[in-house]
């Protein structure tokens, strides 16, 4: 049972807490927030919290967009009205159990809610509940760890940064033990921070880990995923390390996946509606419609799964990431992987998603597309891929760049139906900005290739 405002304040006073950390999540999935006094926190619970609209008016480097309408110099960057979600309460164990809460703009329907990722997920979740489906989700992440501090990283080329451990050691007990203090801190501190991990192991590549977060109700699952990425970075700092969730940090190694697992349950979350004991693959007709919806919608929403220029360096053949609009049972070369287990474990894994994603947007897109298939009673006419998904072009391929994917989404009636035109136009303009920023830069590849010979 969720505590009331008064009960929250009383419990914090009993713990002699003098301050609270608050955060919202921007369009790129970056935590933005502040620490406030307990007195200020109490007033925010009663009257709401103003949060500068610039958090949706600039990019991940705090450069102001010149092409969005929801906020900007033309509006004077006013405050949007945020609301603290008391159900997100947790304590940060590596900051002396500092109380922490997430906030969003769900009630600010004239401003922040139009573009807030967490608010979008709330809207899609509400639609699912009204259709009689309780969504249970989880996300898993791969990421690389490096022996460098932010100060050292700023002064050196990223390509020369030393990985935390050497060699290709996937699922290695040996390499996990090499940095066992960090490894065990990740598992234990995340659990204490309300992010229970089902598994943590090394992946193939120098200094790379993979973690699977325990499944939960949709909004909680997305909160856990967002907070996990920041938690890993903060815990890494404590060990003199830096973590990257870039989709592909070097062309020489596989990229970082951020696969989302999902299933729909009845309103009491007692029956997995994706499970059918009479089906050879345990797949219910509802699950088939859900998969058909995702396959249909994928080209209309890919930037929500692959939001950066770098995302598309991961989505290449042979890099453990899909390139085709495919599905199959337990096949890691397809876009959608059916995990046909028992009545509690049958689920869908969307493998397009990279670790650089904003989990709120990725999960909103997964669920909205699946519900689209159910609403429109789409049939899963496309046969399951057998063998190499990279060679199955029958249903088409994924867009190969952010600019191509953004153009498809911006002009899509399907995307507008799924997420609302206000969100689609704002999000696509932020992706167009990302493309413009990249287009104006000279890369190391260009210098190496052209400097002398051309």
């Amino acid at each position: 049972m969720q505590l009331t405002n008064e009960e929250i304040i009383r419990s914090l006073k009993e713990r002699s807490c003098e301050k609270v950390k608050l955060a919202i999540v921007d369009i790129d999935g970056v935590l933005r927030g502040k620490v406030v006094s307990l007195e200020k926190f109490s007033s925010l619970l009663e009257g709401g919290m103003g949060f500068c609209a610039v958090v949706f008016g600039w990019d991940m480097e705090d450069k102001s967009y010149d092409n969005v309408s929801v906020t900007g110099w033309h509006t004077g960057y006013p405050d949007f009205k945020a609301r603290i979600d008391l159900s997100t309460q947790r304590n940060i164990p590596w900051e002396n159990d500092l109380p922490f809460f997430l906030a969003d703009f769900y009630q600010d329907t004239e401003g922040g809610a139009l573009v807030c990722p967490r608010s979008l997920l709330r809207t899609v979740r509400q639609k699912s509940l009204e259709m009689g489906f309780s969504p249970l989700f989880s996300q898993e992440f791969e990421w690389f760890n490096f022996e460098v501090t932010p100060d050292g990283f700023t002064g050196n080329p990223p390509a020369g940064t030393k990985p935390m451990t050497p060699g290709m050691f996937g699922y290695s007990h040996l390499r996990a033990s090499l940095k066992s203090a960090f490894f065990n801190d990740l598992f234990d501190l995340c659990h204490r921070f309300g992010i229970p991990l089902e598994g943590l192991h090394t992946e193939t590549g120098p200094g790379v880990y993979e973690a699977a977060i325990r499944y939960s109700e949709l909004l909680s699952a997305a909160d856990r995923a967002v907070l996990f990425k920041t938690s890993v970075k903060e815990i890494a700092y404590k060990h003199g390390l830096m973590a990257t969730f870039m989709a592909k940090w070097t062309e020489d190694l596989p990229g970082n996946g951020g696969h989302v697992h999902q299933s729909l349950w009845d309103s009491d979350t007692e029956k997995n509606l994706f499970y059918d004991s009479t089906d050879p693959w345990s797949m219910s007709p509802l699950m088939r419609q859900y998969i058909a919806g995702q396959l249909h919608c994928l080209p209309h929403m890919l930037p929500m799964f692959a939001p950066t220029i770098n995302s598309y360096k991961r989505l290449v053949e042979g890099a453990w990431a899909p390139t085709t609009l495919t599905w199959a049972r337990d096949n890691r070369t397809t876009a959608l992987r059916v995990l046909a287990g028992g009545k509690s474990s049958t689920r869908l894994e969307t493998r397009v998603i990279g670790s650089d994603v904003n989990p709120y947007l990725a999960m909103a897109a997964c669920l909205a597309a699946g519900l689209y298939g159910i609403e429109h009673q789409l049939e899963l006419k496309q046969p399951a891929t057998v063998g190499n998904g990279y060679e199955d072009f029958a249903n088409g391929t994924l867009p190969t760049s952010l600019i191509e994917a953004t153009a498809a989404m911006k002009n899509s009636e399907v995307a507008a139906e799924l997420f609302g035109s206000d969100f689609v136009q704002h999000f696509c303009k932020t992706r167009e900005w990302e493309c413009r920023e990249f287009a104006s830069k000279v890369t190391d590849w260009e210098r190496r290739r052209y400097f002398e010979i051309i």
Side-chain angles (χ1 to χ4, degrees):
M1 181 181 296
Q2 184 171 309
L3 298 178
T4 65
N5 292 358
E6 293 76 15
E7 290 169 332
I8 290 283
I9 296 300
R10 187 184 312 120
S11 68
L12 293 177
K13 286 181 177 179
E14 289 172 353
R15 289 175 48 199
S16 299
C17 295
E18 298 180 353
K19 57 187 177 183
V20 174
K21 181 173 278 191
L22 306 173
I24 62 97
V25 178
D26 72 10
I27 204 74
D28 289 301
V30 177
L31 239 60
R32 307 278 188 172
K34 62 180 78 173
V35 171
V36 299
S37 68
L38 184 59
E39 181 182 8
K40 179 65 174 178
F41 177 70
S42 179
S43 70
L44 297 177
L45 291 183
E46 295 300 325
M49 177 174 69
F51 212 110
C52 181
V54 75
V55 294
F56 295 124
W58 61 18
D59 66 12
M60 62 187 74
E61 291 187 329
D62 294 3
K63 292 182 66 175
S64 295
Y65 299 127
D66 63 11
N67 62 339
V68 300
S69 58
V70 69
T71 192
W73 300 116
H74 63 287
T75 67
Y77 293 114
D79 279 353
F80 285 153
K81 188 173 183 180
R83 184 188 66 87
I84 299 168
D85 187 341
L86 296 182
S87 71
T88 65
Q89 181 183 14
R90 46 197 10 109
N91 302 315
I92 307 175
W94 55 93
E95 292 190 22
N96 297 318
D97 283 332
L98 177 65
F100 175 91
F101 295 83
L102 283 166
D104 61 38
F105 300 88
Y106 190 59
Q107 295 176 328
D108 185 16
T109 55
E110 297 300 318
L114 298 176
V115 296
C116 172
R118 193 171 191 266
S119 298
L120 177 68
L121 185 63
R122 279 181 177 274
T123 299
V124 178
R125 172 181 174 272
Q126 184 59 37
K127 179 176 181 178
S128 180
L129 295 175
E130 289 172 357
M131 292 174 67
F133 308 130
S134 298
L136 297 186
F137 275 55
S138 69
Q139 192 160 10
E140 57 185 38
F141 290 102
E142 300 161 343
W143 76 97
F144 283 80
N145 303 286
F146 297 90
E147 290 187 345
V148 67
T149 64
D151 286 342
F153 177 80
T154 301
N156 294 286
T161 303
K162 181 185 177 184
M164 178 183 68
T165 54
M168 308 293 281
F169 282 83
Y171 300 100
S172 171
H173 281 252
L174 193 62
R175 280 296 180 263
S177 70
L178 187 58
K179 296 290 183 181
S180 61
F182 176 51
F183 187 91
N184 288 309
D185 259 3
L186 282 174
F187 199 97
D188 297 340
L189 293 176
C190 282
H191 180 80
R192 286 173 54 192
F193 191 46
I195 310 171
L197 302 184
E198 287 194 332
L200 175 66
H201 63 86
T202 65
E203 254 294 356
T204 184
V208 60
Y209 285 167
E210 178 177 352
I213 305 171
R214 179 172 172 77
Y215 73 90
S216 60
E217 185 277 327
L218 176 65
L219 193 59
S220 171
D223 289 342
R224 289 175 176 181
V226 165
L227 295 177
F228 175 78
K229 293 176 69 173
T230 298
S231 298
V232 167
K233 295 173 186 177
E234 293 184 7
I235 296 167
Y237 288 163
K238 302 292 184 183
H239 290 264
L241 303 168
M242 279 186 69
T244 181
F245 288 81
M246 280 183 68
K248 187 106 171 194
W249 86 269
T250 175
E251 66 270 21
D252 301 322
L253 296 167
N256 288 327
H259 311 150
V260 169
H261 294 249
Q262 60 228 261
S263 56
L264 296 182
W265 292 61
D266 64 4
S267 57
D268 297 322
T269 62
E270 293 181 353
K271 180 181 180 182
N272 183 356
L273 301 178
F274 277 4
Y275 176 73
D276 184 346
S277 61
T278 65
D279 184 81
W281 287 5
S282 303
M283 295 171 58
S284 69
L286 187 84
M287 185 178 188
R288 292 180 177 275
Q289 291 179 338
Y290 189 97
I291 292 171
Q294 279 204 15
L295 288 172
H296 177 80
C297 295
L298 250 174
H300 302 271
M301 61 184 195
L302 185 59
M304 297 173 76
F305 289 164
T308 71
I309 295 291
N310 182 251
S311 302
Y312 298 81
K313 306 298 176 68
R314 170 181 166 266
L315 298 175
V316 295
E317 187 172 336
W320 297 97
T323 59
T324 54
L325 289 165
T326 45
W327 75 279
R329 180 185 181 186
D330 199 11
N331 186 327
R332 288 181 169 86
T333 68
T334 57
L336 306 180
R337 175 184 175 222
V338 172
L339 292 161
K343 59 183 179 181
S344 64
S345 59
T346 296
R347 63 193 187 278
L348 178 67
E349 177 189 24
T350 301
R351 294 183 56 82
V352 183
I353 302 163
S355 278
D356 57 345
V357 79
N358 181 334
Y360 293 120
L361 299 187
M363 293 189 191
C366 285
L367 180 57
L371 295 178
Y372 181 95
I374 295 170
E375 269 193 310
H376 293 265
Q377 298 185 322
L378 299 184
E379 294 183 30
L380 187 56
K381 296 179 180 179
Q382 178 184 340
T385 296
V386 177
N388 191 348
Y390 296 117
E391 297 176 352
D392 187 352
F393 304 110
N395 204 45
T397 59
L398 296 170
T400 58
S401 68
L402 181 59
I403 192 167
E404 178 188 352
T406 299
M409 182 175 179
K410 183 178 181 179
N411 298 312
S412 168
E413 293 182 2
V414 171
E417 178 181 341
L418 294 178
F419 314 113
S421 57
D422 288 314
F423 173 81
V424 170
Q425 291 307 306
H426 177 79
F427 180 64
C428 287
K429 285 181 182 296
T430 69
R431 298 311 94 189
E432 289 172 344
W433 166 274
E434 198 77 5
C435 293
R436 281 170 47 198
E437 285 290 289
F438 177 71
S440 67
K441 302 301 184 289
V442 178
T443 66
D444 290 344
W445 182 88
E446 292 168 283
R447 279 186 281 266
R448 286 195 302 269
R449 190 170 183 86
Y450 304 130
F451 190 89
E452 179 182 5
I453 200 67
I454 200 70

